[in-house]
């Protein structure tokens, strides 16, 4: 019997103002054409692979690849571990006989971007390859907010989708003493109910980003009202929430960035593939993130 393989998919919300499916497609193509490596973490860099159109039932998606590699110095000496000495010339200069366009330790993550919902579904874990949702989003934010792209598209917001359970866990803290909510202006198609009222207030005041901080006493704690809860809900896809409080004498802290949406699935490696499973996940889940 063939053992099923596992993969984990995370979701990133990419937002521009104004926005349209065609605009998002153009953004990705222009970002690819930059061929610009951006810092992922430490000496690791991320670069966007070419994207191609992909039918997804009633929706249209785009498939691409994220490449991650280690950026090594082109001027420092290499070590000969057999001789335990640096590889240098007679003049004492480092000898590095590697083309500048060749990069080591390449890892790849497939993604599907659905322009109509401006969400990117990418493989964060498969086999022994891991892509952090936080570092991936940060790298993409740097890329999409390159000067060349900002001139054409304006500021691009990149946010990792966080779980609904995080908001519930924060509201269940017995004595909530500090609550911080940060929100970047969402797209109109992302909100409903009380969240729509919050969006309209931001637009009326011409606000592109806002931060709310509430502080309470340990004795009775903060009691978020409907408007505050709506802001927290809005931040799941368009910002962040951080909370501190107490459960008896024990201090409790929660934040949305620690709880990204992780869609964990399995597939039969004989009859399927991670690529096929990723398509199914994107198609089946996109509506869950529109007007959450």
């Amino acid at each position: 019997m063939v053992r099923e393989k596992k993969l984990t998919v995370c979701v990133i919300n990419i937002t521009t103002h104004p926005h349209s499916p065609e605009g998002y497609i153009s953004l990705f193509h222009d970002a690819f054409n930059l061929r610009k490596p951006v810092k992922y973490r430490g000496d690791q860099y991320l670069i966007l692979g070419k994207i191609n159109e992909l039918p997804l039932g009633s929706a249209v998606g785009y498939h691409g690849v994220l490449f991650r590699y280690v950026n090594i110095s082109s001027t420092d000496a290499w070590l000969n571990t057999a001789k335990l000495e640096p590889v240098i010339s007679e003049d004492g200069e480092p000898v590095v006989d590697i083309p500048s366009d060749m990069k080591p330790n390449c890892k790849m993550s497939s993604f599907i971007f659905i322009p109509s919902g401006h969400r990117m579904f990418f493989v964060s874990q498969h086999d022994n390859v891991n892509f952090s949702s936080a570092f991936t989003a940060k790298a993409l934010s740097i890329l999409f907010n390159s000067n060349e792209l900002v001139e054409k598209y304006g500021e691009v917001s990149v946010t990792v989708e966080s779980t609904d359970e995080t908001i519930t866990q924060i509201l269940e803290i017995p004595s909530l003493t500090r609550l911080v909510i940060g929100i970047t202006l969402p797209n109109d198609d992302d909100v409903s109910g009380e969240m729509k009222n919050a969006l309209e207030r931001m637009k009326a005041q011409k606000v592109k980003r806002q931060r709310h901080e509430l502080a309470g006493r340990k004795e009775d704690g903060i009691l978020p009202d409907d408007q505050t809860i709506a802001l927290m809900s809005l931040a799941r896809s368009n910002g962040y929430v951080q909370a501190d409080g107490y459960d008896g004498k024990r201090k409790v802290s929660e934040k949305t960035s620690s709880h990204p949406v992780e869609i964990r699935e399995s597939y039969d490696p004989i009859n399927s593939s991670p690529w096929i499973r990723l398509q199914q996940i994107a198609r089946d889940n996109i509506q869950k993130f529109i007007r959450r």
Side-chain angles (χ1 to χ4, degrees), residues 44 72 94 274-275:
Q44 298 179 76
I72 59 177
W275 166 233

Side-chain angles (χ1 to χ4, degrees), residues 17-30:
H17 295 278
H19 81 117
S20 68
E22 296 76 18
Y24 287 119
I25 296 166
S26 178
L27 170 66
F28 267 81
H29 282 302
D30 286 349

Side-chain angles (χ1 to χ4, degrees), residues 226-238:
D226 290 344
Q227 183 174 326
T228 298
I229 294 173
L231 292 175
M232 294 169 68
S233 298
L234 198 58
R236 293 172 302 177
S237 300
N238 300 278

Side-chain angles (χ1 to χ4, degrees), residues 43-71:
D43 58 2
Q44 298 179 76
Y45 279 69
L46 193 82
I47 191 167
L48 180 65
K50 188 174 183 179
I51 67 170
N52 299 287
E53 186 173 329
L54 173 75
L56 286 174
S58 60
V60 175
Y62 282 78
H63 163 242
V65 178
L66 300 173
F67 293 101
R68 191 181 73 219
Y69 63 87
V70 174
N71 192 44

